[in-house]
Amino acid sequence: MRGHRAAVPRPPRVRARSAAIGAFVVLAAVIPAAASAAGTQETDVELPYVCAFPSGERAVTVRVTATFPQRAQPGEAFTPTGVTTTAVLPAEAVADLASAGAATVRAATRLGVGVAQNAAGATATWRGSAEPVALPAAGPLTLTSTGDVPSVTGRDEGDLTFTAGALALDLEPGTTDGATAGPGALTVDCSLSADAPERGLLATVPVGTPGTEPDDPPTAPDPSSGSPSDPSSGSSSGPPDEPGDRQDERAPEVTENAPGGAAADRAAPPCRYDDSHPSTSASLNAYVTGYTNVKKLKGASLLPLSCVLIEQGPTDIEFFPDFTGGYLSQHSEGTLRHQGRAQTPPFEATFLTFGFTPTKATMVLEQTGPMTMDAAGETSFVTLFTRLETRVRVPLVLRVTALEVNGTPLEVGSACRTEKPLRSPEPEPGKFPGDHLVLSGSSTHQPPDQPVGYLLSSGGPLTGEVTIPAFTGCGTGGEDLDRLLTASVSGPGNHIKQIQGQTCAVQVFNENECTEDLQPRDIPVPER
């Protein structure tokens, strides 16, 4: 049984059996300076939490470290640096993961932080990610995540306080060969214990000249009011994850330092079909973004917001012998699209070559072959439960168009690029030969609940590992820059987490999914 989806409007997040969307990855690192600047204060706070694991509620110790300025001025934005969140999972929680067949676990954290000054408050979400760690044979497991956090601006004079609230642990169990284990990724919601020291206070930053007294004492949002599943909702006003969740107009301003924060302003590259690339009844478009780790440089970089155009293939079903369900499969194809070319927009990345030399590069990722998206799974006509596994494959070459080392521009020429496409471990090398990126995602759906995980229609996370090949053709006038780029960036084991937004079905207009000019309405926010 084959066929495209019916051309009728449907609300978001209900097309549970769609295949995957095209994906890309930008590989460059932004490495912050390790040394603390003058006039800073260090915070190192250990807090008790209660977390809801599959086997029940467990006590978890969470340690938060960060660097804040000693003092700030009204209207002056600053960003806490060196933010690290360490969670110690008890032995019972580790046993939960092991019983599901996991040998490793990759963690990401989302910590809700109340930001208050005088009688007004706002909330921020501190996000972090970590490399996979092996499960111990016995005893607790320590998970340490790092990441960038939003900047904060105090509007008045008076102490600015930062208070920990609800925490979410996103856990991705894995096997020894890198595959996803058991039921797949799960989110563990945690709430701050009532007996937490100073109700979770992390730091206090005075704002204004020394000796200035505020009109009202600072009032932090109640840490217990945030929803553990949405830790950014630590304040009682405004929607979750919205920068500047104000109690009044004098509340501190919280600003996300990622392009997803500009979604409301449509600060996104064009993403539409045109005469040179016309749409069909199976055409979709969507935005993608995310983060990638560059293992060699021990850092992470933001993936620039890019457009993907997709031709969705028909869904096939092979019935079980007893007709109680069937195996599902779907093959789709896609292309990156920027100014008529199959590539990402140009982007800048700054990293520390050899750990000490600042190097800034301008790059693009060029698609050099077909992007394929293959989904496979099964569904039950009895229970209505559906499971899908998705793999996205695309050959991408990383091209460098400009390079600056320690403030000095270096001519890279017009042919500076990786000598081969980026390469991921391929689970089916006989069927899919050649070098290419592989990203994977999974989803489950048990009506009447909404689907969980990655789906073409509603988006979600795709993850993978990639090797960055050596560079070639870099330099002019006899100057060879290949070795500089190869030594600083090239290598294996670079983890990718890409987030896709809601798709727009361009010939089936839905105002919840598409703008009036048929571009994707949803601009995704990157996650670590």
Side-chain angles (χ1 to χ4, degrees):
M1 182 169 66
R2 298 169 60 89
H4 292 295
R5 66 180 185 181
V8 293
R10 281 181 276 181
R13 304 195 69 83
V14 295
R15 302 183 201 113
R17 300 178 187 176
S18 297
I21 189 171
F24 72 96
V25 58
V26 176
L27 293 160
V30 179
I31 309 298
S36 296
T40 61
Q41 56 172 312
E42 309 288 336
T43 186
D44 188 340
V45 179
E46 192 171 277
L47 298 169
Y49 275 80
V50 176
C51 300
F53 291 96
S55 61
E57 292 189 341
R58 309 290 182 189
V60 172
T61 299
V62 176
R63 181 183 177 190
V64 181
T65 61
T67 300
F68 295 83
Q70 286 282 9
R71 180 174 293 274
Q73 296 300 318
E76 176 189 1
F78 66 88
T79 304
T81 59
V83 176
T84 300
T85 303
T86 302
V88 181
L89 274 56
E92 296 87 350
V94 178
D96 286 348
L97 297 170
S99 65
T104 66
V105 65
R106 184 191 303 275
T109 57
R110 290 174 284 133
L111 176 64
V113 177
V115 185
Q117 186 182 43
N118 303 331
T123 59
T125 301
W126 288 7
R127 304 175 189 272
S129 62
E131 291 296 318
V133 295
L135 298 184
L141 172 66
T142 299
L143 301 173
T144 300
S145 68
T146 60
D148 300 326
V149 302
S151 61
V152 176
T153 305
R155 296 176 181 271
D156 296 317
E157 293 188 334
D159 286 349
L160 195 63
T161 61
F162 293 78
T163 305
L167 171 70
L169 300 173
D170 297 319
L171 304 178
E172 185 179 331
T175 61
T176 53
D177 60 1
T180 300
L186 71 151
T187 295
V188 176
D189 297 325
C190 307
S191 57
L192 188 69
S193 297
D195 59 350
E198 298 186 81
R199 299 186 66 194
L201 180 66
L202 299 174
T204 300
V205 178
V207 177
T209 57
T212 301
E213 294 296 331
D215 294 333
D216 299 292
T219 303
D222 183 356
S224 64
S225 66
S227 168
S229 61
D230 214 336
S232 60
S233 61
S235 166
S236 59
S237 62
D241 257 345
E242 183 174 303
D245 189 12
R246 293 175 175 80
Q247 293 179 4
D248 60 41
E249 74 241 5
R250 305 312 299 171
E253 182 179 359
V254 176
T255 305
E256 291 284 349
N257 297 318
D265 301 326
R266 293 297 302 176
C271 190
R272 62 169 67 91
Y273 291 82
D274 52 32
D275 292 340
S276 63
H277 198 130
S279 65
T280 70
S281 61
S283 293
L284 307 172
N285 53 8
Y287 286 113
V288 287
T289 185
Y291 283 100
T292 178
N293 290 340
V294 178
K295 185 176 181 180
K296 208 167 192 178
L297 295 170
K298 300 179 181 179
S301 178
L302 186 69
L303 306 180
L305 194 68
S306 253
C307 168
V308 182
L309 306 182
I310 304 100
E311 288 301 305
Q312 183 184 13
T315 300
D316 296 333
I317 182 168
E318 179 185 347
F319 294 106
F320 298 155
D322 59 3
F323 290 94
T324 59
Y327 299 103
L328 303 173
S329 64
Q330 186 181 57
H331 174 82
S332 302
E333 296 188 357
T335 181
L336 293 170
R337 187 74 167 176
H338 178 69
Q339 296 182 349
R341 298 181 179 181
Q343 64 179 48
T344 67
F347 62 96
E348 285 189 353
T350 301
F351 49 90
L352 294 181
T353 306
F354 312 119
F356 60 88
T357 304
T359 303
K360 182 171 70 174
T362 302
M363 309 182 223
V364 297
L365 273 172
E366 296 179 340
Q367 182 179 334
T368 60
M371 177 188 295
T372 61
M373 296 142 283
D374 292 283
E378 59 185 65
T379 187
S380 168
F381 299 154
V382 178
T383 65
L384 304 182
F385 180 79
T386 300
R387 181 191 299 275
L388 281 178
E389 299 288 335
T390 296
R391 287 200 177 102
V392 179
R393 297 172 172 91
V394 56
L396 296 171
V397 167
L398 182 62
R399 183 162 62 88
V400 180
T401 61
L403 186 65
E404 185 179 290
V405 177
N406 204 22
T408 301
L410 300 179
E411 294 294 331
V412 295
S414 59
C416 182
R417 59 192 288 275
T418 52
E419 60 183 11
K420 297 178 180 180
L422 308 179
R423 182 178 71 257
S424 295
E426 172 54 65
E428 301 177 82
K431 186 176 180 181
F432 299 97
D435 294 334
H436 51 265
L437 171 68
V438 180
L439 294 180
S440 301
S442 61
S443 66
T444 58
H445 185 203
Q446 179 62 73
D449 297 334
Q450 294 290 339
V452 176
Y454 177 83
L455 289 176
L456 172 61
S457 60
S458 54
L462 291 163
T463 60
E465 303 282 339
V466 70
T467 294
I468 308 172
F471 285 80
T472 186
C474 304
T476 60
E479 186 173 21
D480 185 359
L481 302 178
D482 294 347
R483 289 181 295 175
L484 170 67
L485 290 169
T486 298
S488 59
V489 175
S490 300
N494 305 289
H495 177 68
I496 307 154
K497 184 174 183 179
Q498 179 185 284
I499 304 299
Q500 175 218 313
Q502 168 78 45
T503 59
C504 165
V506 295
Q507 292 195 11
V508 187
F509 178 75
N510 183 331
E511 64 179 6
N512 294 318
E513 302 174 359
C514 309
T515 62
E516 292 184 359
D517 59 350
L518 300 179
Q519 298 191 76
R521 185 171 295 279
D522 184 29
I523 302 177
V525 175
E527 298 178 5
R528 292 183 180 273

